[in-house]
Amino acid sequence: MPTPSMEDYIEQIYLLIENKGYARVSDIAEALSVHPSSVTKMVQKLDKDDYLVYEKYRGLVLTPKGNKVGKRLVYRHELLEQFLTVIGVKDEHIYEDVEGIEHHLSWDSIDRIGDLVQYFEEDKKRVEELRFIQNRSE
C-alpha cells in the first residue's frame, strides 16, 4: 500500500503521462513544488515497489500496478472535487480541501461519497433542496 506521499507522486505521474504522454523528473518536481532530487529518490522507491520502471536519464513508465493505482487516485481526487461542489463548497476552497482530506478517507468512504454524488446528480431537485436548507441556515 503506497504512503500518502507516494500516492501524490503516482497521481501526478499518471496525470502527466495522460496529458503529455510522458513524465520527466523536472515535470514532476514542478507539479509537486519539490526539488528534482526529492523526485529522483521517490521515483527510485516507486520503481523498487513496482509502481513504475525508471531508467536514469531515460525517463519512466508506470507499470500495470502503477497505472491502476494512478487511475484510482485521480478518480478519488475528481470525485472529492465533485462532492464538495455538489454540497456547495466555494470553488476557491475545493482544491485545498481535497488535498487535505483525500489521504485520510478509506476506499469504503470514497465509494459511499460516490453513491451520494450519484444520488444528488440523478435528480437536480435534490441539489436545489440542499441549497434551500443551506440558505435557510445562513
Side-chain angles (χ1 to χ4, degrees):
M1 208 66 191
T3 66
S5 181
M6 291 167 74
E7 286 182 347
D8 287 339
Y9 279 84
I10 295 167
E11 180 180 6
Q12 194 56 58
I13 292 166
Y14 180 88
L15 286 170
L16 284 166
I17 291 171
E18 282 292 301
N19 294 326
K20 294 176 75 170
Y22 60 89
R24 298 178 311 196
V25 167
S26 59
D27 297 323
I28 299 164
E30 182 180 336
L32 294 175
S33 300
V34 297
H35 294 290
S37 59
S38 299
V39 174
T40 300
K41 287 177 190 172
M42 180 59 79
V43 164
Q44 290 168 342
K45 177 161 180 42
L46 292 170
D47 183 15
K48 181 176 168 263
D49 291 349
D50 195 35
Y51 290 104
L52 55 82
V53 176
Y54 172 66
E55 293 182 35
K56 194 172 185 177
Y57 307 116
R58 299 207 53 182
L60 55 95
V61 294
L62 290 170
T63 63
K65 174 183 172 182
N67 198 59
K68 181 180 177 182
V69 170
K71 187 174 187 175
R72 183 91 165 135
L73 295 171
V74 168
Y75 164 77
R76 176 182 71 186
H77 189 100
E78 290 173 350
L79 177 65
L80 290 171
E81 285 184 350
Q82 196 176 5
F83 172 67
L84 294 178
T85 299
V86 166
I87 64 170
V89 174
K90 292 179 182 154
D91 287 345
E92 62 264 20
H93 298 134
I94 289 178
Y95 181 81
E96 191 173 313
D97 287 352
V98 169
E99 288 298 313
I101 64 174
E102 66 184 341
H103 300 295
H104 302 285
L105 295 171
S106 69
W107 285 105
D108 183 43
S109 293
I110 296 296
D111 290 339
R112 299 300 67 81
I113 289 170
D115 295 340
L116 190 58
V117 168
Q118 182 180 348
Y119 170 80
F120 278 107
E121 290 188 341
E122 284 177 353
D123 185 349
K124 294 301 180 189
K125 188 163 176 40
R126 295 171 181 154
V127 175
E128 292 170 15
E129 290 168 352
L130 177 61
R131 295 291 178 267
F132 176 77
I133 292 167
Q134 290 169 334
N135 290 333
R136 192 176 63 198
S137 66
E138 287 181 355

